[in-house]
Amino acid sequence: MEKPLLSDKTKESERWDSYQYLQRNSSSARNNFSFAGAGVTVEEVRSASAVSDPSPLYPPVLTTPVSLPTPEAIGYPSASGAGLELQRQVLDEIEIRELLIDHIGHRCCWGSRPARTWKIRAVEDCNVYVGTLDTFIEEREALTQTVPFTGGSFNGKKHGSAPELWQLDLRSQFPTLFVPYKETRVPVPHSETVDKCTGCTGRGEVVCPTCNADGEPGFYKENQVMKCSKCYGRGLIAHKDGSDSICGECNGEGKLPCPNCQSRGLIKCETCNGSGSLLTSSIAVVRWKTLSKRKVSATRGAGSVPEEVFHRAEGVQLCNTQAYQCTPAYFADSYFLNKFSSEVISLRAEVPPTANVVCERHAISVVPVTRVTMEDRRKAFNFYIIGFGKEIYMKDYYPARFCWGLCPCLEWLKV
């Protein structure tokens, strides 16, 4: 997989023909400015690094060039199925030193001697791999809706037979693939029926529960009156001086008609809104949603990488395939990636029995992080090369700093 010995400048752009993917419908590689493009947390990386150790992309001791794929190097099959050749950038000892010297050159009080002369003791792979499998499903459920029937025509069986739930044409409602969630409700054609209201047996009125509460079911009495609450049925209002006056609430009668039905004994049926009939129809509830599964795999070295490094890292997708049912991706030169892809596929989400799978999407992303350790006479320091932009990250110790807390650049250099 790796080319031996250090490469010269004319060989820095080598062909990497092995990354040819054999899926049915793939999209081109895309840079993800969020961590791995999948919202992975640092805690997930720490946990994954403790239980997994992917095969390194290069040895821990710098005896050969360190090779990293470029974003442009990720190949996918064309419509005809032909694979694209891939390029790989070579990160050798010379370039590592050049990157560090350039980084130090922007620090006015840092010396370049350690970057130029100290020995590179180790180059450690701290990559993080993220695999996702999204299953986009369509779920249909039939609900019964009952509303008061106000008259007129209705769409019943005389216009045709009601279609099955999965026979409904909902192409006009179909959302963009892999939306998190969308729900719509549509009436099922020819499913409407009109029936007599069970609450009032088709009369449109029910017995008043206020003035006929003690009556037998189905029977009622008219002209039921209630005692006036203001004068307590006397018809007169007593005053403190001992005089009486006619109650203005009941006009001296001491009784009032039922406030609920005006002593008719019947009130309008709330179920059918007084129509006596109910319109029943079937409503199809259609839900589209994406069921996502994710697996994170990290080298053991990634567990000790500072959190700020992952926030700066820029990930790239190694594969992104879409099909009715995704199969594991194939990497001709990486047993680990083949196994990792199979493990992600095996996590496929369980589909509800009322749903159908529309399609699936499988992606594998990598966040490239390299830790370089340099030493000289029992002294050592390390730094990180992040992403395909090869940004240098150095947080703590660098042996050739000449600021003694007086240089304002220290505030600017806080990392």
Side-chain angles (χ1 to χ4, degrees):
M1 178 176 175
E2 298 289 341
K3 298 288 185 178
L5 303 179
L6 297 178
S7 64
D8 55 30
K9 291 295 182 179
T10 61
K11 295 183 179 180
E12 284 188 358
S13 178
E14 298 180 354
R15 292 291 177 182
W16 193 17
D17 299 331
S18 57
Y19 272 88
Q20 297 177 359
Y21 306 106
L22 304 179
Q23 285 82 20
R24 283 171 281 179
N25 182 21
S26 302
S27 59
S28 59
R30 300 191 300 272
N31 288 339
N32 298 310
F33 293 93
S34 61
F35 176 38
V40 178
T41 63
V42 176
E43 288 73 18
E44 285 183 280
V45 175
R46 302 281 190 258
S47 176
S49 65
V51 297
S52 62
D53 195 11
S55 302
L57 296 181
Y58 40 80
V61 179
L62 190 69
T63 57
T64 60
V66 177
S67 300
L68 293 176
T70 63
E72 295 79 8
I74 308 303
Y76 298 87
S78 61
S80 60
L84 302 177
E85 290 186 341
L86 303 168
Q87 294 181 344
R88 167 180 272 190
Q89 279 190 340
V90 175
L91 187 63
D92 57 19
E93 179 179 357
I94 296 175
E95 185 171 8
I96 290 176
R97 293 187 185 276
E98 288 178 348
L99 290 171
L100 182 57
I101 291 171
D102 180 71
H103 176 76
I104 292 171
H106 292 81
R107 275 71 179 164
C108 63
C109 300
W110 291 21
S112 63
R113 185 176 178 278
R116 290 185 289 103
T117 62
W118 284 31
K119 178 182 178 182
I120 297 178
R121 187 183 70 186
V123 178
E124 187 178 1
D125 175 9
C126 300
N127 292 347
V128 177
Y129 300 87
V130 182
T132 58
L133 179 64
D134 298 326
T135 304
F136 188 59
I137 64 172
E138 178 179 338
E139 186 176 8
R140 298 190 179 188
E141 179 184 5
L143 299 180
T144 300
Q145 176 179 276
T146 302
V147 296
F149 180 63
T150 57
S153 60
F154 60 93
N155 190 3
K157 293 183 178 180
K158 65 178 181 180
H159 299 286
S161 58
E164 296 293 333
L165 198 59
W166 286 98
Q167 292 177 344
L168 296 174
D169 186 358
L170 299 177
R171 285 176 291 183
S172 62
Q173 304 284 339
F174 202 84
T176 305
L177 289 178
F178 301 105
V179 297
Y181 185 84
K182 181 185 177 181
E183 179 177 320
T184 186
R185 299 188 176 212
V186 294
V188 178
H190 317 312
S191 65
E192 296 180 343
T193 59
V194 175
D195 300 299
K196 185 184 297 185
C197 177
T198 57
C200 63
T201 63
R203 294 182 299 178
E205 294 180 318
V206 295
V207 175
C208 177
T210 303
C211 62
N212 282 269
D214 299 330
E216 296 182 9
F219 295 90
Y220 69 96
K221 294 179 181 181
E222 296 180 348
N223 302 319
Q224 295 287 91
V225 293
M226 303 176 64
K227 182 190 296 185
C228 177
S229 59
K230 189 173 183 179
C231 65
Y232 302 100
R234 293 178 62 244
L236 298 173
I237 301 296
H239 300 284
K240 291 183 179 180
D241 59 0
S243 61
D244 293 327
S245 62
I246 297 176
C247 177
E249 187 73 20
C250 62
N251 295 323
E253 296 183 4
K255 295 180 180 180
L256 292 173
C258 174
N260 199 21
C261 66
Q262 300 303 313
S263 297
R264 292 179 57 247
L266 296 173
I267 60 173
K268 183 172 68 174
C269 177
E270 296 294 337
T271 304
C272 63
N273 200 27
S275 66
S277 300
L278 296 175
L279 178 66
T280 304
S281 61
S282 293
I283 302 296
V285 181
V286 186
R287 304 179 186 91
W288 292 276
K289 54 187 173 182
T290 301
L291 308 178
S292 298
K293 291 292 183 179
R294 181 173 68 194
K295 182 178 177 64
V296 179
S297 181
T299 56
R300 296 191 184 278
S304 57
V305 174
E307 183 175 345
E308 294 86 350
V309 172
F310 291 123
H311 290 319
R312 294 188 182 189
E314 178 182 332
V316 70
Q317 287 185 343
L318 298 180
C319 74
N320 187 342
T321 64
Q322 180 177 312
Y324 169 71
Q325 187 175 44
C326 288
T327 55
Y330 174 68
F331 299 83
D333 63 349
S334 177
Y335 169 78
F336 160 71
L337 289 177
N338 291 334
K339 181 174 179 291
F340 182 59
S341 176
S342 298
E343 292 173 350
V344 175
I345 295 295
S346 67
L347 298 176
R348 180 176 281 116
E350 184 178 352
V351 179
T354 58
N356 284 337
V357 175
V358 179
C359 61
E360 290 184 337
R361 179 177 61 191
H362 174 43
I364 295 180
S365 303
V366 60
V367 178
V369 177
T370 304
R371 178 162 50 209
V372 181
T373 303
M374 303 184 76
E375 67 176 2
D376 181 66
R377 299 177 183 178
R378 298 184 179 180
K379 293 183 179 180
F381 72 96
N382 57 50
F383 60 93
Y384 296 89
I385 303 175
I386 306 172
F388 297 104
K390 300 178 182 178
E391 177 188 357
I392 297 294
Y393 177 86
M394 185 183 301
K395 182 176 182 180
D396 298 317
Y397 173 70
Y398 180 69
R401 288 188 181 186
F402 303 108
C403 292
W404 290 274
L406 303 177
C407 183
C409 71
L410 288 178
E411 293 298 322
W412 176 66
L413 290 175
K414 279 187 177 179
V415 291

